[in-house]
Amino acid sequence: MNILQIINAKKKGKELTKDQIDFWIKGVMSGEIEDYQTSALLMAICLVGFSEEETFNLTNAIIDSGIRVDLSEFYEKSVDKHSSGGVGDSTTFIVAPIFAALGYKCAKASGRGLGHTGGTLDKLESIPGFHINLDKDQFKEQVKNIGIAVISQSKDMCPADKKLYTLRDVTETVDNVGLIASSIMSKKLASGVKNIVLDVKCGRGAFMKDLDSAKALAAEMVKIGKKAGKNVVAVVTNMDYPLDEFVGNSLEVYGALNVLQGARNNLYEVAITLCSELLTSMGVENARAKCDEVLNSGLALEKFKEMIKAQGGDLSFLNKEHLLNAKAIYDVKAPASGYVEDIDPMAISGCVMLLGGGRLKKTDSIDLYCGVETKVHIGDHVNEGDIIATIYSKEKNEAAINKVLEAIKIGQDIPSKPQMILAIQN
Ligand code: URA
């Protein structure tokens, strides 16, 4: 067997065997297969397609390229949530504390933001002192005692995914359902968790732009998880608009804190649905009421604080004064009277990028305290001159104001309120 035969087979529309896929990934790891050969194969996969069986075999080959975490001590109670990436998406800070408050064990390995999507680690690091460097034993101990820990994804877990993703990123081969599903699910399965809820974002601010492709990705990932013996449910959620009013690293911690302290908005709706769908699939009755109970009682907020404290974070920072404390804070006003017809998530995240709150390259350093707070929702009526958004940054930035004006469209038609939950796949 050699890589040219494998590329040729795929080019001619054949289904790759498990042996061929294992050979490819082993060659990627050993360096025997060159990046240009893998790039050619990735492009052939995108053009010809990748079957369910091929996707499952690629997922396992990627897992076998690195270590697996052993959570057997609390396997049945272990839970995790994964988001395919969006704007204003801080559900982890609500979902994980709810699970922990209900006695489940949320062992979370997260990443940094890249491009228009924010990263959980960056957001947490806006809290002074918070660190993500727990070793394997400290991580497990914290999950066992408190019910939550969030650390950085280990370099030794699924290293083949990092190699493939780097090539996909620069060869326009990211958006293939099989490749995305194997990339996400390999990391989830290697993390050793039994119960997984996947938040598959759908819309302009997501990888999956339309409902059919989002549903296809959700179905594929659920199948892979079940075949591997896991309990997996996917929720397709709306990412045509920013999920929360607060977009930017420290701002998103504040947005989540609002929900933990009683706000009941779109962010709440998505977070509570993710929790209750997973718990229902685990056989828990009245799951939504139980989740609401720990949110309303403040128990979930306490769990969030326990995690911040355990990982060195300064609890006195968890308030508006500290999380929304950029040097320059200035408002954007409605240019005309009418109804809010649109809030474009890509323009809002573009504004945060412009302010220095996001990365173009992995090595870029970012401003953790800049961002945008939108003050209106789809369908709201505004008068000319009303405040529609507030910008937080190091200094006043006219281009950022224009970007927000580009994002928030005001017209004369009353649009319908967006539906947040688009489909459930289990
Ligand atoms: N997130 C991942 O981890 N992998 C992909 O391919 C896409 C999104």
Side-chain angles (χ1 to χ4, degrees):
M1 190 184 311
N2 68 48
I3 187 63
L4 297 184
Q5 289 164 343
I6 297 173
I7 297 171
N8 193 33
K10 187 39 77 186
K11 187 175 79 177
K12 296 214 168 110
K14 297 215 172 96
E15 185 173 60
L16 300 182
T17 64
K18 178 175 180 334
D19 285 349
Q20 286 174 316
I21 289 174
D22 287 346
F23 178 89
W24 170 37
I25 297 304
K26 282 194 181 120
V28 167
M29 292 310 296
S30 68
E32 271 160 54
I33 293 174
E34 301 287 349
D35 285 356
Y36 50 79
Q37 294 173 315
T38 290
S39 301
L41 183 52
L42 288 167
M43 185 56 82
I45 288 170
C46 284
L47 296 177
V48 171
F50 212 46
S51 70
E52 248 175 72
E53 192 63 20
E54 288 174 307
T55 302
F56 184 67
N57 289 331
L58 178 59
T59 306
N60 286 322
I62 295 174
I63 296 172
D64 290 340
S65 71
I67 58 158
R68 290 170 196 253
V69 180
D70 174 16
L71 297 180
S72 49
E73 238 181 298
F74 38 78
Y75 183 63
E76 292 300 326
K77 289 225 141 196
S78 64
V79 288
D80 195 5
K81 181 226 79 160
H82 178 83
S83 155
S84 61
V87 178
D89 177 13
S90 52
T91 51
T92 292
F93 307 142
I94 304 160
V95 169
I98 290 177
F99 284 142
L102 288 169
Y104 296 93
K105 305 294 175 193
C106 195
K108 231 179 142 31
S110 288
R112 299 206 175 272
L114 187 63
H116 78 280
T117 62
T120 298
L121 299 183
D122 297 317
K123 294 172 199 175
L124 285 170
E125 281 178 350
S126 71
I127 304 165
F130 190 91
H131 65 86
I132 50 163
N133 323 314
L134 303 178
D135 68 27
K136 219 168 48 189
D137 294 335
Q138 289 169 324
F139 177 61
K140 275 195 223 168
E141 204 50 31
Q142 185 177 317
V143 174
K144 203 163 99 184
N145 295 337
I146 300 177
I148 340 177
V150 182
I151 55 166
S152 170
Q153 255 152 22
S154 160
K155 282 197 267 315
D156 302 327
M157 200 202 279
C158 300
D161 177 62
K162 289 187 188 75
K163 295 200 174 208
L164 293 189
Y165 198 88
T166 305
L167 293 176
R168 288 167 61 209
D169 207 21
V170 293
T171 55
E172 265 302 321
T173 52
V174 171
D175 62 350
N176 171 275
V177 166
L179 295 177
I180 298 177
S182 54
S183 167
I184 292 176
M185 289 310 288
S186 57
K187 288 171 285 199
K188 291 292 112 185
L189 300 182
S191 74
V193 168
K194 159 113 194 255
N195 305 288
I196 302 163
V197 59
L198 303 162
D199 181 2
V200 179
K201 303 286 187 195
C202 172
R204 292 172 294 174
F207 276 118
M208 296 293 136
K209 308 286 178 209
D210 61 82
L211 191 54
D212 284 347
S213 52
K215 279 184 175 171
L217 176 62
E220 190 86 23
M221 293 198 291
V222 169
K223 268 188 222 148
I224 294 172
K226 290 200 166 155
K227 216 163 158 179
K230 308 288 177 176
N231 174 46
V232 187
V233 55
V235 183
V236 179
T237 65
N238 193 328
M239 190 32 74
D240 246 340
Y241 310 98
L243 178 53
D244 192 29
E245 290 90 347
F246 294 92
V247 182
N249 293 291
S250 67
L251 280 83
E252 289 179 40
V253 176
Y254 182 67
L257 202 59
N258 270 343
V259 174
L260 290 169
Q261 290 173 330
R264 298 296 174 253
N265 48 19
N266 288 341
L267 178 61
Y268 156 80
E269 183 57 29
V270 170
I272 205 88
T273 305
L274 293 172
C275 290
S276 54
E277 287 299 328
L278 185 62
L279 294 179
T280 302
S281 74
M282 292 164 71
V284 175
E285 283 176 15
N286 300 321
R288 187 165 173 135
K290 287 180 176 140
C291 297
D292 268 328
E293 212 173 285
V294 292
L295 256 190
N296 294 336
S297 68
L299 216 62
L301 174 63
E302 282 315 306
K303 279 289 164 195
F304 182 61
K305 288 184 177 168
E306 268 182 65
M307 178 198 70
I308 301 293
K309 190 168 171 213
Q311 292 186 233
D314 179 354
L315 286 183
S316 71
F317 214 78
L318 292 183
N319 51 46
K320 189 170 183 170
E321 292 67 48
H322 287 98
L323 291 167
L324 306 186
N325 83 345
K327 282 209 177 74
I329 301 177
Y330 43 102
D331 295 326
V332 182
K333 298 196 171 151
S337 300
Y339 296 94
V340 177
E341 283 182 349
D342 192 19
I343 306 178
D344 179 354
M346 295 310 280
I348 293 290
S349 67
C351 176
V352 176
M353 293 289 285
L354 207 88
L355 297 169
R359 288 186 189 83
L360 285 174
K361 296 194 303 299
K362 272 195 170 159
T363 46
D364 289 346
S365 60
I366 55 173
D367 175 359
L368 296 173
Y369 301 97
C370 68
V372 180
E373 175 187 357
T374 51
K375 303 253 187 185
V376 289
H377 302 101
I378 300 294
D380 284 356
H381 184 270
V382 294
N383 291 315
E384 184 181 340
D386 284 354
I387 296 171
I388 53 173
T390 299
I391 300 180
Y392 300 81
S393 62
K394 285 204 171 93
E395 56 198 5
K396 193 163 179 185
N397 184 323
E398 290 299 329
I401 295 176
N402 289 334
K403 205 76 186 156
V404 171
L405 287 171
E406 183 191 308
I408 304 179
K409 300 226 165 50
I410 294 164
Q412 297 316 310
D413 298 327
I414 308 178
S416 48
K417 293 263 178 212
Q419 192 187 332
M420 295 315 296
I421 310 302
L422 304 178
I424 311 274
Q425 177 76 44
N426 50 21

